[in-house]
Amino acid sequence: MSKVLGILNFEPSYVHVRGLEDFRPISATSILGRYRIIDFMLSNFTNSNVESIKVFIKNRPRSTVEHISHTSYNLNSKRGKIQLLHGDVDYKNNELFNVDVQAFHTYMDFIDQENASYVVVAPSHFIFKQDFNEIVEEHIKSKNDITILCHSTTNADRRYLMGDLLKLDDNKRVTEMYKNRGKNKKAVVSLETYVMSALTFKQLVEEAVMTSSLYSFSDIVADCVRPMKIGTYQHRGFVACISTLNAYYEANMEIKNEKEMLKLINDDWPIYTMTNDSCPTLYKPGAKVTGSIVANGCQIEGTVINSVIGRNVVVKEGAVIKDSVILPDTLVDKNVKLECAVVDRLSIITHIKELKGSKEEPIYIKRGDRI
Amino acid sequence: MKKNNMVAMILAGGRGSRLFDLTKKVAKPAVHFGGKYRIIDFALSNCANSHISTVGVLVQYESILLSSYSARSSTWGLDSKGGGVYVLSPREKDETGLGLYAGTADAIYQNLDFLDQEEADYVLVLSGDHIYKMDYDKMLKCHQESGAEATIAVIEVPMKEASRFGIMNTDENDRIVEFEEKPKQPKSNLASMGVYIFSYKNLKKYLKEDAKNPDSQHDFGKNLIPAYLNDGLKLQAYRFKGYWKDVGTISSLWEANMDLLEDNSGLDLFDPDWKIYTDDASATPQCIGENAKINNAFITQGAIVNGEVSRSVIFSGAQVEEGAKVEDSVIMNNAVIGKGAKLVRCLVADDVRVPDGMKLGKKNSEDILLVSKASIAKAGEDHE
């Protein structure tokens, strides 16, 4: 089989996950208690037997570097390679110029070295399960220049905002690619996953760099709708686009459901992550837990309803956590009541006894805060 | 050459026949424990945390799973250059042909070439079937300071239980003067934990002599330690304070699991400075359903609970279905407790499916009911 190179792109400029983004790239954000968002896309790659993967990081690389270097993702440790390349080397002073094609361009040598026939560019702020081989096979058969993974949604008025929407002709080819300004509910949304030959990839990057220093990869693909043949591949399963805090919260809440979770993560499609060697979770006498997912290493004495509890979280007696996402290493002290909250890592909530957000606008407690 | 090089040898060849169906196809050290672990993880993690880099695992009985599991040195961080976990099974030799390990001492004797190759100064002999957290480095310091030829870790047990253990009688400086295996009238309550440090030079000499003795059972407790004592070699007791449990029976294995529910059992698995490492299952987080009721439980990732669980330990991939009730029980890996089933004081083996509505175990019974595939099949027949 022809060699496929995986390129895990960094988040585009429309992604703003309030609070969480101040501390790490979105890809390294904890999700579902024990994973990082990036684990889903990297496991898609390795479960599809893609052995060479370039991971691009926009800025604040520490957490991604640490996480990836301690996770095997089931790659052969000699043949397989995940290389981390980060974008802000030359653009420290102006985030505006820190766009994906500039990073691709800077590191084109490393991409060339792989001698891959095909390139799969995948996003780091999406969660979905996808065998990339299927798209590559379909792409080769179709003789298209580019194949875009897409998804039909009825939520385009409130999700995927500023992402790319696609207009398709009868042959499912793209006739237009435009930004989602939330006008319609029904739309075909691009999952920002592109399959093409390595040559086409290189050409597109060159062209983008020459056109504008603000151009992103999706901009240049949008420009190519006319001169090139751009096909689509339909994704029909669960999709989460983590572009806002609300989307992050909703993704946790939706995947938390047992059936949904087992569709996304199972023995046939494992999601690899870094082990922390935490012991199992202790539910002490008096604990009440329902409708929740809980990571290992927690000590729970209080009440947890309909929530996601991260690794090594302590919930003291009388505390009530409802409809919330608690990131790892957090302490929720006695009699504290949390509702619709996203509590970032390493924070301690002890003095404020009640915090309540709404499902539309969850309250955010910042990393390491002591309140 | 490494200085003060201590090589650990874990005795992991025993069958553990008092665990019945649990060890039918799996050696005892590989039996699951505490939600996410295997019993041998404790000895291996203790070695890693005590800065030991070379560990031999002596396997014999049903060793496929145990060998492949132990060989993944990186699980415990034991994959440094020059170190590692070496699985040592009986092998065919040029002079003696194929011979099984005849006893604990013989197992080490047959691997003297390995210890030579690793340039051991000290040999730490461990059992692969005990649950405890212990810093062997501290014990080595004690061994070196006392100038003993062998140091044996001991733990104080209640005097009335002392006759179940190998008991060390010591002088006022904790020098061992006598060893008694399961004495009827114990003189002390210092029980051997089956953890020994030997200075290698004399160990090699005594193992060679023991191998020549046709009357010997080639056992550390029965033969080697008495030989050291007879010859007046210095044997030191190293007092260990903390949690230690031999999980050789269904009820002791159940008890050790139940101890994890206690705050004050002395076995703290939450301690970040002395983690117990284990194979990381790529399992989902634990899923607690909307109608679940949990009252005091130790549950690990991959478990799915939709029923009622009290005072129980739920292992990776185990499921408690809706309406099922699990009380004072241990549910091992990937076991499924069917809808409406009721379990009290049970230990459910890996991969067992308890049919919907089945009732197992008795609240006031003294024994713990082992629920295996075979016992489920039998219960089904009786029912018909």
Side-chain angles (χ1 to χ4, degrees):
Chain A
M1 208 189 107
S2 329
K3 182 171 173 180
V4 176
L5 171 70
I7 292 181
L8 190 59
N9 201 351
F10 56 59
E11 64 275 21
S13 56
Y14 70 81
V15 173
H16 283 295
V17 182
R18 176 161 56 86
L20 290 166
E21 68 177 359
D22 295 340
F23 300 94
R24 73 286 274 172
I26 190 63
S27 57
T29 305
S30 160
I31 192 155
L32 297 176
R34 69 171 307 227
Y35 302 101
R36 308 290 183 112
I37 292 172
I38 200 173
D39 292 332
F40 287 85
M41 210 53 74
L42 279 175
S43 299
N44 276 346
F45 273 123
T46 58
N47 287 335
S48 308
N49 300 319
V50 174
E51 286 187 323
S52 293
I53 304 157
K54 309 285 179 199
V55 175
F56 283 86
I57 310 172
K58 193 170 192 173
N59 43 34
R60 283 182 286 268
R62 187 208 43 95
S63 48
T64 313
V65 171
E66 214 169 276
H67 182 73
I68 290 185
S69 53
H70 287 103
T71 310
S72 82
Y73 293 104
N74 209 29
L75 275 174
N76 180 301
S77 61
K78 297 283 181 187
R79 286 183 55 82
K81 185 164 83 178
I82 296 181
Q83 190 172 37
L84 290 149
L85 303 166
H86 77 98
D88 64 346
V89 198
D90 301 324
Y91 308 99
K92 280 201 179 85
N93 300 324
N94 200 336
E95 225 11 46
L96 213 58
F97 296 103
N98 191 359
V99 285
D100 52 5
V101 277
Q102 296 294 342
F104 296 163
H105 191 252
T106 307
Y107 293 106
M108 195 52 85
D109 288 0
F110 292 89
I111 292 169
D112 279 344
Q113 273 170 19
E114 297 294 339
N115 283 323
S117 310
Y118 295 94
V119 171
V120 177
V121 181
S124 59
H125 62 296
F126 272 89
I127 291 179
F128 53 76
K129 174 186 158 192
Q130 178 65 51
D131 186 339
F132 291 134
N133 284 325
E134 290 173 6
I135 319 178
V136 173
E137 273 171 37
E138 195 63 32
H139 172 78
I140 295 172
K141 257 194 264 167
S142 73
K143 301 214 160 48
N144 286 323
D145 296 304
I146 304 173
T147 300
I148 302 181
L149 183 66
C150 66
H151 179 71
S152 298
T153 177
T154 50
N155 285 320
D157 57 330
R158 44 181 234 94
R159 291 189 178 176
Y160 313 102
L161 294 175
M162 294 315 286
D164 298 315
L165 299 185
L166 306 175
K167 274 205 180 112
L168 309 181
D169 66 12
D170 294 345
N171 298 320
K172 303 280 177 203
R173 287 228 172 91
V174 180
T175 55
E176 199 188 336
M177 182 163 149
Y178 58 104
K179 295 289 170 209
N180 177 19
R181 299 187 193 276
K183 281 185 192 145
N184 298 312
K185 283 186 170 203
K186 267 179 85 173
V188 178
V189 60
S190 157
L191 298 186
E192 297 178 39
T193 303
Y194 313 97
V195 177
M196 70 205 80
S197 70
L199 197 69
T200 306
F201 175 75
K202 203 174 166 177
Q203 279 168 359
L204 287 177
V205 170
E206 296 288 344
E207 250 180 79
V209 169
M210 285 205 300
T211 313
S212 162
S213 45
L214 296 178
Y215 247 40
S216 71
F217 196 72
S218 85
D219 289 331
I220 195 71
V221 172
D223 278 1
C224 292
V225 167
R226 299 245 173 269
M228 286 188 169
K229 276 194 288 188
I230 303 184
T232 52
Y233 188 91
Q234 269 284 339
H235 177 89
R236 292 198 163 79
F238 174 87
V239 173
C241 171
I242 319 277
S243 56
T244 63
L245 182 68
N246 187 35
Y248 171 79
Y249 174 79
E250 283 183 358
N252 273 287
M253 288 298 159
E254 281 168 20
I255 308 171
K256 175 174 80 57
N257 173 290
E258 178 191 325
K259 285 199 184 83
E260 210 55 71
M261 187 163 74
L262 294 179
K263 267 191 254 169
L264 207 57
I265 312 166
N266 52 54
D267 291 345
D268 296 330
W269 202 266
I271 303 301
Y272 301 99
T273 190
M274 181 173 93
T275 177
N276 204 269
D277 296 295
S278 302
C279 66
T281 279
L282 182 59
Y283 299 78
K284 296 188 180 179
K288 276 198 191 119
V289 181
T290 54
S292 297
I293 58 171
V294 182
N296 273 6
C298 299
Q299 300 180 62
I300 302 177
E301 278 174 274
T303 301
V304 177
I305 305 160
N306 197 36
S307 295
V308 173
I309 308 294
R311 198 187 325 105
N312 301 341
V313 167
V314 178
V315 182
K316 292 283 190 189
E317 204 185 331
V320 179
I321 298 174
K322 197 175 167 228
D323 299 323
S324 295
V325 179
I326 314 294
L327 275 68
D329 303 306
T330 295
L331 168 73
V332 180
D333 215 343
K334 279 186 184 163
N335 303 320
V336 168
K337 300 205 167 20
L338 295 176
E339 194 174 332
C340 298
V342 174
V343 181
D344 206 340
R345 289 191 57 208
L346 295 160
S347 43
I348 297 174
I349 306 178
T350 168
H351 299 300
I352 297 183
K353 292 296 178 200
E354 197 163 344
L355 282 167
K356 195 172 165 187
S358 68
K359 285 184 180 165
E360 292 69 39
E361 202 149 332
I363 196 166
Y364 171 76
I365 313 299
K366 77 171 200 224
R367 185 181 192 272
D369 212 354
R370 281 149 202 264
I371 53 172
Chain B
M1 205 182 102
K2 286 180 247 174
K3 238 184 161 182
N4 290 335
N5 183 27
M6 181 155 80
V7 174
M9 298 291 263
I10 302 181
L11 301 165
R15 168 172 189 163
S17 51
R18 287 173 303 159
L19 290 178
F20 305 98
D21 285 356
L22 287 185
T23 50
K24 207 156 196 160
K25 281 305 287 177
V26 174
K28 180 159 106 174
V31 168
H32 285 116
F33 174 78
K36 66 180 291 201
Y37 308 98
R38 291 184 190 272
I39 294 169
I40 198 172
D41 286 329
F42 286 80
L44 284 165
S45 301
N46 285 341
C47 286
N49 289 328
S50 305
H51 310 293
I52 292 170
S53 59
T54 305
V55 182
V57 178
L58 299 132
V59 301
Q60 182 155 291
Y61 173 77
E62 279 295 351
S63 59
I64 291 184
L65 198 150
L66 178 59
S67 300
S68 58
Y69 182 71
S70 309
R72 262 175 271 148
S73 317
S74 59
T75 302
W76 307 274
L78 290 165
D79 53 345
S80 63
K81 278 258 185 286
V85 179
Y86 299 82
V87 177
L88 305 167
S89 48
R91 62 202 139 122
E92 194 173 345
K93 289 183 181 135
D94 184 24
E95 288 138 38
T96 52
L98 183 65
L100 292 178
Y101 295 150
T104 52
D106 183 54
I108 306 291
Y109 167 75
Q110 291 204 40
N111 289 289
L112 285 176
D113 49 356
F114 169 74
L115 291 166
D116 285 337
Q117 169 200 306
E118 294 300 322
E119 300 177 347
D121 298 310
Y122 303 99
V123 179
L124 170 68
V125 177
L126 304 171
S127 298
D129 46 12
H130 293 158
I131 304 293
Y132 65 118
K133 294 168 82 169
M134 180 176 182
D135 189 342
Y136 305 129
D137 200 35
K138 280 190 188 154
M139 183 173 165
L140 177 62
K141 297 251 154 58
C142 163
H143 178 76
Q144 289 166 329
E145 280 162 17
S146 72
E149 276 304 323
T151 299
I152 302 172
V154 295
I155 187 162
E156 289 182 33
V157 294
M159 205 64 192
K160 62 179 193 317
E161 287 176 34
S163 54
R164 287 173 38 218
F165 295 92
I167 293 295
M168 302 291 163
N169 299 321
T170 57
D171 70 7
E172 65 279 10
N173 298 318
D174 279 344
R175 182 172 172 169
I176 297 166
V177 292
E178 192 187 8
F179 168 73
E180 292 182 285
E181 182 69 35
K182 297 184 181 147
K184 287 210 176 73
Q185 304 282 316
K187 290 173 214 154
S188 118
N189 65 340
L190 296 179
S192 166
M193 295 165 62
V195 176
Y196 311 88
I197 290 178
F198 293 96
S199 295
Y200 183 51
K201 220 172 133 191
N202 260 322
L203 175 68
K204 189 172 170 180
K205 182 177 146 208
Y206 276 80
L207 284 174
K208 281 183 166 171
E209 279 169 19
D210 177 72
K212 281 185 220 144
N213 180 357
D215 300 328
S216 173
Q217 293 175 58
H218 311 296
D219 183 85
F220 275 103
K222 289 182 191 129
N223 309 103
L224 215 76
I225 299 302
Y228 268 56
L229 280 171
N230 267 339
D231 292 355
L233 266 58
K234 188 171 180 187
L235 287 175
Q236 186 70 22
Y238 173 77
R239 286 173 190 257
F240 173 78
K241 289 199 170 61
Y243 185 93
W244 175 81
K245 198 156 203 142
D246 180 343
V247 286
T249 63
I250 293 296
S251 68
S252 65
L253 181 60
W254 176 87
E255 258 173 45
N257 274 289
M258 287 297 137
D259 288 341
L260 299 170
L261 299 171
E262 303 294 326
D263 267 339
N264 311 315
S265 71
L267 183 64
D268 179 12
L269 295 180
F270 286 92
D271 179 6
D273 295 326
W274 202 276
K275 285 184 180 175
I276 302 302
Y277 308 109
T278 186
D279 182 32
D280 181 50
S282 51
T284 58
Q286 44 198 285
C287 211
I288 314 296
E290 274 168 33
N291 301 317
K293 268 194 193 156
I294 297 178
N295 178 29
N296 202 12
F298 201 54
I299 305 180
T300 198
Q301 58 199 20
I304 298 175
V305 179
N306 285 305
E308 210 176 315
V309 173
S310 45
R311 293 181 307 279
S312 296
V313 182
I314 315 288
F315 289 44
S316 194
Q319 292 184 42
V320 179
E321 294 184 347
E322 211 140 319
K325 209 169 161 184
V326 172
E327 211 178 312
D328 296 309
S329 294
V330 173
I331 314 296
M332 295 178 105
N333 292 44
N334 302 316
V336 179
I337 313 305
K339 291 188 180 67
K342 290 197 169 38
L343 273 65
V344 188
R345 291 176 71 78
C346 289
L347 190 148
V348 182
D350 291 4
D351 305 315
V352 169
R353 189 184 163 94
V354 176
D356 294 358
M358 188 177 262
K359 290 191 173 104
L360 292 166
K362 287 197 189 80
K363 196 166 177 71
N364 301 316
S365 97
E366 204 162 295
D367 295 324
I368 299 304
L369 180 68
L370 172 63
V371 181
S372 63
K373 280 182 183 164
S375 71
I376 288 286
K378 192 166 175 298
E381 279 166 27
D382 292 351
H383 203 68
E384 282 159 21

